[in-house]
Amino acid sequence: MRPSHTKGTMMADCSKLTLSSSAKNSDQCPDCQRINEVLTRVGDRWSVLVIISLAQYGTLRFNELKRNLGISQRMLSLTLRELVRDGLVHRNQYPTIPPKVEYSLTKMGESFREPVNALGIWALDNLSKIDAARASYDVDKAE
Amino acid sequence: MRPSHTKGTMMADCSKLTLSSSAKNSDQCPDCQRINEVLTRVGDRWSVLVIISLAQYGTLRFNELKRNLGISQRMLSLTLRELVRDGLVHRNQYPTIPPKVEYSLTKMGESFREPVNALGIWALDNLSKIDAARASYDVDKAE
DNA sequence: CAGGATCCCTTCCGATACTG
DNA sequence: CAGTATCGGAAGGGATCCTG
């Protein structure tokens, strides 16, 4: 794929371009491209929710996650497979009968908790505001 | 709608049940339901990237955003409309010829910067790790 | 219990053409 | 410049049946 970038925060680069008018006319922001890529990987709804659940409960089995999230079996299966593949979730299988599979966060998955948590807090804090803004907007449009 | 919330914590009540899709299961995690809702509103890729861009550059015109993000005109139009509707983005129109429209973050949009920034930093920090984990996983599967 | 395999409908989204 | 309108392919995602 694309060359791996140096570890570290590259956010500073772009942040400093805040008032640069020349930057406005440049091509695609490289950070946006990178962030875009990551969002493609772990930015979908189910991935986020699975990670949140595992962050909360520590370890969950397949059907526990399924019930907890109200996700279809198919989507949970696909989502977990990708999360394991991406190194965010650890899969622990017990070869018993019936089988038992436990999922938990890896180190990297754990590190995802913080930003996701921040997002969750903001979400709970602003949901009602968004609803209000939306209602107000719709009323204005109607008249 | 439901203004009650606890600031600074992920704890939530489960009184808001307007969850989409066929969620007939009642034993769903209430937090997951709420987070699910907010993700439905501002959790899509383009919304996040638009907000990041506006957070970085302050004010951007339509085509500036378009070039910056590499987004199609159609998606940008739809995304901006929703962000304005949700009260996250402010739209300033100058009735000149040719027209000039500037977008910037509202107060609430600004407050979204912090969690989104955390997400962005994590993204830039972990993209290479994800790529590595993915490559390793694929190799193991192949042999 | 933990999935895999299909079917099929919906939504997303880019490409394109057109307007004020 | 800043959009809107339309079309068609691609992806998302639920329902159902099947297996070890």
Side-chain angles (χ1 to χ4, degrees), chain B:
Chain B
M1 256 200 177
R2 183 152 298 278
S4 66
H5 63 274
T6 310
K7 189 184 173 86
T9 174
M10 290 282 290
M11 303 299 275
D13 57 31
C14 54
S15 41
K16 195 153 193 321
L17 298 175
T18 50
L19 195 61
S20 59
S21 73
S22 59
K24 55 202 174 303
N25 280 336
S26 55
D27 48 356
Q28 269 180 261
C29 163
D31 277 354
C32 289
Q33 292 184 25
R34 296 188 72 111
I35 291 171
N36 201 350
E37 279 184 65
V38 91
L39 286 179
T40 300
R41 286 167 169 74
V42 293
D44 67 284
R45 173 195 343 285
W46 295 129
S47 293
V48 170
L49 289 175
V50 163
I51 289 176
I52 287 177
S53 270
L54 290 180
Q56 284 177 349
Y57 296 100
T59 295
L60 288 174
R61 300 178 63 172
F62 186 87
N63 278 317
E64 288 174 342
L65 273 168
K66 184 169 179 295
R67 279 191 300 272
N68 200 345
L69 299 181
I71 185 179
S72 73
Q73 175 213 51
R74 179 179 169 275
M75 284 314 296
L76 180 56
S77 176
L78 292 174
T79 301
L80 283 172
R81 192 188 305 160
E82 280 308 293
L83 287 175
V84 169
R85 183 178 175 226
D86 288 345
L88 292 166
V89 166
H90 179 64
R91 185 193 135 112
N92 209 349
Q93 180 175 3
Y94 302 88
T96 58
I97 296 177
K100 174 179 176 180
V101 181
E102 287 183 340
Y103 293 93
S104 56
L105 293 182
T106 62
K107 223 46 170 185
M108 181 163 40
E110 280 290 335
S111 75
F112 197 46
R113 273 186 74 165
E114 193 177 339
V116 160
N117 226 37
L119 189 70
I121 289 174
W122 187 92
L124 297 178
D125 230 30
N126 288 275
L127 180 57
S128 59
K129 296 180 189 173
I130 292 180
D131 280 336
R134 188 171 277 214
S136 168
Y137 179 95
D138 292 346
V139 167
D140 290 351
K141 280 290 171 181
E143 63 193 23

Side-chain angles (χ1 to χ4, degrees), chain A residues 62 66 71-81:
Chain A
F62 186 88
K66 183 169 179 295
I71 185 178
S72 74
Q73 174 244 42
R74 177 178 172 276
M75 285 314 296
L76 179 56
S77 177
L78 292 175
T79 300
L80 282 172
R81 192 189 306 160

Side-chain angles (χ1 to χ4, degrees), chain A residues 1-2 4-5 7-11 14-15 17-18 20 23-29 31-32 34-43 45-46 48-49 52-53 56-57 67-70 81-82 84-88 108 111-112 115-131 133-134 137-138, chain B residues 1-3 5-12 16 25 27-29 31-32 34-43 45-46 48-49 52-53 55-60 64 67-70 81-82 84-88 108 111-112 115-131 133-134 137-138:
Chain A
M1 265 189 163
R2 66 236 118 262
S4 56
H5 77 290
K7 178 183 189 297
T9 299
M10 301 191 63
M11 217 50 185
C14 238
S15 301
L17 299 175
T18 298
S20 166
K24 293 183 179 181
N25 296 328
S26 67
D27 276 344
Q28 221 175 316
C29 165
D31 277 354
C32 288
R34 287 216 157 76
I35 293 171
N36 200 348
E37 286 183 60
V38 174
L39 288 178
T40 299
R41 286 168 171 73
V42 294
R45 171 193 333 289
W46 294 131
V48 171
L49 290 175
I52 288 176
S53 270
Q56 270 184 351
Y57 295 98
R67 278 190 300 271
N68 200 345
L69 299 180
R81 192 189 306 160
E82 281 307 294
V84 169
R85 183 177 174 227
D86 288 345
L88 292 165
M108 183 166 33
S111 76
F112 196 47
V116 161
N117 228 36
L119 189 71
I121 290 173
W122 186 91
L124 298 178
D125 230 28
N126 289 273
L127 183 55
S128 60
K129 295 181 189 172
I130 291 180
D131 281 335
R134 188 173 278 214
Y137 179 95
D138 292 346
Chain B
M1 256 200 177
R2 183 152 298 278
H5 63 274
T6 310
K7 189 184 173 86
T9 174
M10 290 282 290
M11 303 299 275
K16 195 153 193 321
N25 280 336
D27 48 356
Q28 269 180 261
C29 163
D31 277 354
C32 289
R34 296 188 72 111
I35 291 171
N36 201 350
E37 279 184 65
V38 91
L39 286 179
T40 300
R41 286 167 169 74
V42 293
R45 173 195 343 285
W46 295 129
V48 170
L49 289 175
I52 287 177
S53 270
Q56 284 177 349
Y57 296 100
T59 295
L60 288 174
E64 288 174 342
R67 279 191 300 272
N68 200 345
L69 299 181
R81 192 188 305 160
E82 280 308 293
V84 169
R85 183 178 175 226
D86 288 345
L88 292 166
M108 181 163 40
S111 75
F112 197 46
V116 160
N117 226 37
L119 189 70
I121 289 174
W122 187 92
L124 297 178
D125 230 30
N126 288 275
L127 180 57
S128 59
K129 296 180 189 173
I130 292 180
D131 280 336
R134 188 171 277 214
Y137 179 95
D138 292 346

Side-chain angles (χ1 to χ4, degrees), chain A residues 89-142:
Chain A
V89 165
H90 180 62
R91 184 193 135 111
N92 210 348
Q93 180 175 2
Y94 301 88
T96 59
I97 296 178
K100 175 179 177 182
V101 180
E102 288 183 342
Y103 293 93
S104 56
L105 293 182
T106 63
K107 254 324 193 243
M108 183 166 33
E110 281 289 334
S111 76
F112 196 47
R113 280 186 66 168
E114 191 176 339
V116 161
N117 228 36
L119 189 71
I121 290 173
W122 186 91
L124 298 178
D125 230 28
N126 289 273
L127 183 55
S128 60
K129 295 181 189 172
I130 291 180
D131 281 335
R134 188 173 278 214
S136 169
Y137 179 95
D138 292 346
V139 166
D140 289 352
K141 279 290 170 180

